[in-house]
């Protein structure tokens, strides 16, 4: 998938977000190293600690289908600022692909793109 199509998929997922508490929709599109793409949105819950971010929705969909190596993820919100992943999502990305690219988007579809290692320096991984 092209970079622009991946970004468009993340933006499209904003409409799937279930966010009745925060009213803050987030969309994500994750490209695996084999080229397959998994999308995600945030899914909130009345028990707030059960909320799941868009990025982790996409990642759990991919991992549950046997994909563990990721090339890049696009993340979108309806904000003027670029939407950057929370710390928990950065750690989950780091578990699978410490060198993946993170495309942080704003509502206009512009982006700030960084390697995960810049967003999460010295990320934790258990020794093998
Ligand atoms: N959220 C995401 O889905 N991804 C992020 O990168 C930041 C935050 C969600 C969690 C919650 O549903 C809402 O945005 C407000 O924090």
């Amino acid at each position: 998938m092209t970079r622009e199509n991946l970004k468009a998929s993340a933006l499209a997922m904003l409409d799937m977000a279930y966010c009745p508490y925060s009213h803050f929709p987030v969309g994500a599109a994750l490209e695996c190293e084999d080229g397959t793409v998994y999308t995600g949105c945030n899914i909130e819950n009345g028990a707030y600690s059960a909320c799941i971010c868009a990025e982790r929705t996409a990642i759990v969909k991919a991992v549950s289908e046997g994909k563990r190596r990721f090339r890049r993820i696009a993340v979108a919100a309806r904000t003027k600022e670029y939407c950057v992943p929370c710390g928990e999502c950065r750690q989950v990305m780091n578990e699978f692909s410490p060198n993946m690219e993170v495309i942080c988007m704003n509502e206009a579809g512009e982006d700030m793109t960084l390697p995960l290692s810049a967003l999460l320096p010295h990320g934790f991984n258990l020794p093998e």
Side-chain angles (χ1 to χ4, degrees):
M1 179 177 277
T2 66
R3 192 171 185 279
E4 286 311 306
N5 284 348
L6 193 72
K7 289 173 63 177
S9 297
L11 281 171
M13 287 305 289
L14 289 169
D15 290 334
M16 303 304 289
Y18 175 73
C19 52
Y21 307 107
S22 73
H23 305 287
F24 187 80
V26 182
L30 174 71
E31 186 179 64
C32 304
E33 279 192 359
D34 68 0
T36 53
V37 171
Y38 292 86
T39 55
C41 60
N42 52 334
I43 303 169
E44 298 186 343
N45 192 279
Y48 296 157
S49 64
C51 293
I52 181 166
C53 292
E55 298 92 318
R56 275 178 290 133
T57 299
I59 292 168
V60 298
K61 284 168 69 177
V63 174
S64 66
E65 297 293 328
K67 310 299 168 66
R68 296 181 179 175
R69 302 295 308 165
F70 308 136
R71 191 179 292 155
R72 53 190 175 180
I73 189 168
V75 186
R78 293 195 177 106
T79 50
K80 290 191 169 38
E81 298 77 24
Y82 300 121
C83 184
V84 294
C86 76
E88 193 171 337
C89 289
R90 296 178 199 194
Q91 176 62 28
V92 172
M93 292 174 200
N94 180 71
E95 175 75 16
F96 296 103
S97 292
N99 296 314
M100 68 187 289
E101 185 177 277
V102 183
I103 303 170
C104 306
M105 300 171 61
N106 64 14
E107 63 185 346
E110 298 158 339
D111 68 87
M112 170 182 73
T113 298
L114 295 166
L116 178 59
S117 57
L119 288 167
L120 187 71
H122 308 288
F124 175 77
N125 285 99
L126 275 177
E128 289 182 16

